[in-house]
Amino acid sequence: GQNIDQPTEMTATEGAIVQINCTYQTSGFNGLFWYQQHAGEAPTFLSYNVLDGLEEKGRFSSFLSRSKGYSYLLLKELQMKDSASYLCAVRVRQAGTALIFGKGTTLSVSS
Amino acid sequence: GAGVSQSPSNKVTEKGKDVELRCDPISGHTALYWYRQSLGQGLEFLIYFQGNSAPDKSGLPSDRFSAERTGGSVSTLTIQRTQQEDSAVYLCASSWEGLAESYNEQFFGPGTRLTVL
């Protein structure tokens, strides 16, 4: 079966750096996505990795190791507005382009 | 508007009634997805439409759930004889499907919060 694990909750302070890990066991891996979801709102796309390595986009970076079934999302210079749920999702070939989501990590940023 | 829209935003119904949820995808997007998000759970894939191909219904939890996509655009998710465990936020997403191995970012709508009493 398909399984995606990520921590349920994390806390951090403004200005800090936080790393949110995601491990997956899937067959037919075809890309990994990170989405941000504020409470009561729709998920919004953050990043996409299909090859090993680091993708950087402003304050956010995402890393992928396909051999380890592992990804992380790195958030730098944290701001209060970064308090949200962060969803790790995997695309597998058998599912076309539909995504399999983890349960999400709720990040709380305090001053 | 430019984004994915869904209606209604909230729906309260009684157990055993049928409900219809609507999704208007981004114009030009060929793929449309339905997910649901229950409290404390991740997004669960329900069904996926791509162009004129037969939909992928592999995520539908029971035969009480069905979906249509008319004219390659608007989609309706129907839940018959609703049960309390159907209470969740139902999210619709759309994407442009170009090359088979391409990026295919999914854009999500705001969701419909369904409460079955």
Side-chain angles (χ1 to χ4, degrees):
Chain A
Q2 320 282 10
N3 191 49
I4 300 173
D5 289 313
Q6 49 182 134
T8 304
E9 294 181 341
M10 298 184 71
T11 59
T13 54
E14 267 189 307
I17 299 173
V18 70
Q19 178 175 312
I20 303 174
N21 296 323
C22 172
T23 57
Y24 62 90
Q25 297 89 38
T26 63
S27 57
F29 175 84
N30 194 25
L32 187 142
F33 293 76
W34 283 95
Y35 278 81
Q36 180 190 60
Q37 186 178 27
H38 285 99
E41 298 182 8
T44 55
F45 169 81
L46 287 178
S47 69
Y48 168 71
N49 295 72
V50 69
L51 299 176
D52 290 353
L54 188 68
E55 294 285 338
E56 296 186 83
K57 188 185 293 185
R59 294 189 299 115
F60 293 5
S61 303
S62 57
F63 172 83
L64 175 67
S65 169
R66 289 172 297 171
S67 62
K68 296 181 179 179
Y70 168 69
S71 173
Y72 68 73
L73 180 69
L74 192 70
L75 293 76
K76 302 176 185 176
E77 301 168 14
L78 280 174
Q79 302 174 10
M80 298 291 284
K81 68 178 182 180
D82 297 329
S83 294
S85 286
Y86 291 85
L87 313 179
C88 174
V90 172
R91 184 172 65 193
V92 296
R93 288 191 176 84
Q94 301 92 301
T97 56
L99 298 177
I100 302 170
F101 282 85
K103 293 185 178 181
T105 298
T106 300
L107 174 66
S108 299
V109 181
S110 59
S111 57
Chain B
V4 178
S5 60
Q6 293 185 244
S7 61
S9 54
N10 280 283
K11 177 71 176 179
V12 180
T13 190
E14 294 180 346
K15 178 181 173 181
K17 296 286 181 66
D18 297 351
V19 295
E20 285 190 352
L21 313 180
R22 177 187 167 105
C23 172
D24 285 86
I26 292 173
S27 177
H29 279 187
T30 56
L32 186 147
Y33 314 79
W34 283 98
Y35 296 88
R36 74 175 175 182
Q37 189 172 31
S38 303
L39 191 63
Q41 300 297 315
L43 272 75
E44 175 189 10
F45 164 70
L46 297 177
I47 188 169
Y48 155 58
F49 297 87
Q50 163 58 358
N52 296 321
S53 302
D56 176 354
K57 303 179 182 180
S58 59
L60 294 179
S62 78
D63 58 8
R64 297 186 294 105
F65 288 71
S66 63
E68 290 184 340
R69 189 179 185 192
T70 54
S73 181
V74 172
S75 178
T76 302
L77 177 70
T78 301
I79 310 173
Q80 295 178 310
R81 305 181 302 282
T82 52
Q83 304 293 312
Q84 288 183 335
E85 61 262 27
D86 299 335
S87 296
V89 176
Y90 288 81
L91 290 160
C92 174
S94 70
S95 67
W96 181 79
E97 304 288 307
L99 298 173
E101 300 299 316
S102 67
Y103 195 88
N104 300 332
E105 174 188 345
Q106 295 183 21
F107 294 83
F108 283 83
T112 294
R113 181 175 297 278
L114 175 66
T115 303
V116 182
L117 302 177

